[in-house]
Amino acid sequence: AQSVAQPEDQVNVAEGNPLTVKCTYSVSGNPYLFWYVQYPNRGLQFLLKYITGDNLVKGSYGFEAEFNKSQTSFHLKKPSALVSDSALYFCAVGGFKTIFGAGTRLFVKA
Amino acid sequence: DTGVSQNPRHKITKRGQNVTFRCDPISEHNRLYWYRQTLGQGPEFLTYFQNEAQLEKSRLLSDRFSAERPKGSFSTLEIQRTEQGDSAMYLCASSFPKGRGTTEAFFGQGTRLTVV
């Protein structure tokens, strides 16, 4: 069975600082990995995905994620956080169905 | 295309009543998913369709839940004899497999169910 874990319930970062939201996964075979963001009263929005290829994946709104096979991780990163990045972030592993982590709330302080 | 559409956006019902939700996916997408999300948690997979065929149902989906996608387009999720524990946000998503592997799912804004 496939699963993802997001070890941090909340991440706090100051505006302008780099941010990292952690994710580890467990799958048999090649992983299909995703990050989604959820703003209040809005649906989940796709940020980026890793299917194959370069370990560093670039996505929407300046976010990127690094796939690390040996550590089974897929951490979400951004070089310079914005207050508007404050939201709930979900890591997911996909295939025929997509399984989501519990989510990490990102709070960016001005 | 306006994306995945879900109706109604909100539903309040009395315990024991039946409710039905509708999802209209992105038109060219042949996969459709239903998820349930409770406050502060990640979406939990319920079921998914490939065209009109329901290919998998989660063990979370009790016999009171049924989903259909009769013509491979829109889908409905019905909950019979609702219970307070059914209160949640019900999310629909669609995707179109292309190339190798899988592709991302596009989500609707959800239907928030409150059972009183």
Side-chain angles (χ1 to χ4, degrees):
Chain A
Q2 53 191 22
S3 64
V4 292
Q6 294 181 243
E8 303 154 316
D9 290 336
Q10 182 165 314
V11 170
N12 299 309
V13 63
E15 187 174 36
N17 283 359
L19 68 89
T20 299
V21 182
K22 296 180 180 178
C23 171
T24 59
Y25 66 89
S26 174
V27 300
S28 54
N30 294 323
Y32 305 130
L33 299 163
F34 305 87
W35 276 100
Y36 287 81
V37 60
Q38 189 173 37
Y39 297 99
N41 300 316
R42 295 179 67 178
L44 284 119
Q45 297 177 34
F46 167 77
L47 278 179
L48 51 79
K49 66 183 176 184
Y50 173 84
I51 304 297
T52 187
D54 290 341
N55 290 341
L56 187 63
V57 179
K58 295 188 182 298
S60 306
Y61 313 121
F63 284 93
E64 57 190 27
E66 186 171 10
F67 170 68
N68 187 316
K69 188 173 183 178
S70 63
Q71 297 185 2
T72 62
S73 66
F74 189 56
H75 300 330
L76 181 70
K77 300 181 179 183
K78 188 173 183 181
S80 178
L82 300 172
V83 172
S84 58
D85 293 330
S86 298
L88 192 54
Y89 290 81
F90 293 100
C91 181
V93 57
F96 288 109
K97 65 184 181 186
T98 302
I99 304 299
F100 287 83
T104 298
R105 187 166 298 281
L106 174 65
F107 181 70
V108 182
K109 184 179 181 180
Chain B
D1 194 294
T2 57
V4 179
S5 177
Q6 291 187 246
N7 288 288
R9 294 288 310 281
H10 303 273
K11 178 70 176 178
I12 300 174
T13 190
K14 291 183 177 180
R15 188 176 55 184
Q17 297 295 304
N18 299 344
V19 295
T20 299
F21 310 142
R22 176 177 171 127
C23 171
D24 289 89
I26 294 173
S27 57
E28 65 266 27
H29 286 182
N30 60 21
R31 286 188 187 169
L32 185 147
Y33 310 82
W34 285 100
Y35 288 83
R36 180 171 64 191
Q37 186 179 23
T38 52
L39 196 63
Q41 298 298 313
E44 297 173 299
F45 171 81
L46 294 179
T47 188
Y48 93 97
F49 294 82
Q50 175 94 358
N51 299 313
E52 67 275 9
Q54 188 174 18
L55 297 186
E56 186 172 345
K57 287 176 62 172
S58 166
R59 285 172 292 178
L60 293 173
L61 219 59
S62 76
D63 292 344
R64 297 184 297 106
F65 289 71
S66 62
E68 294 183 341
R69 194 183 183 196
K71 296 183 179 179
S73 57
F74 73 92
S75 176
T76 57
L77 177 68
E78 181 183 17
I79 309 174
Q80 297 182 325
R81 305 182 303 281
T82 52
E83 302 173 356
Q84 287 188 322
D86 297 331
S87 297
M89 178 75 83
Y90 290 84
L91 298 170
C92 177
S94 68
S95 70
F96 176 73
K98 54 186 178 183
R100 179 182 169 193
T102 190
T103 186
E104 65 271 23
F106 294 81
F107 281 81
Q109 291 192 279
T111 296
R112 181 169 296 283
L113 173 66
T114 302
V115 182
V116 297

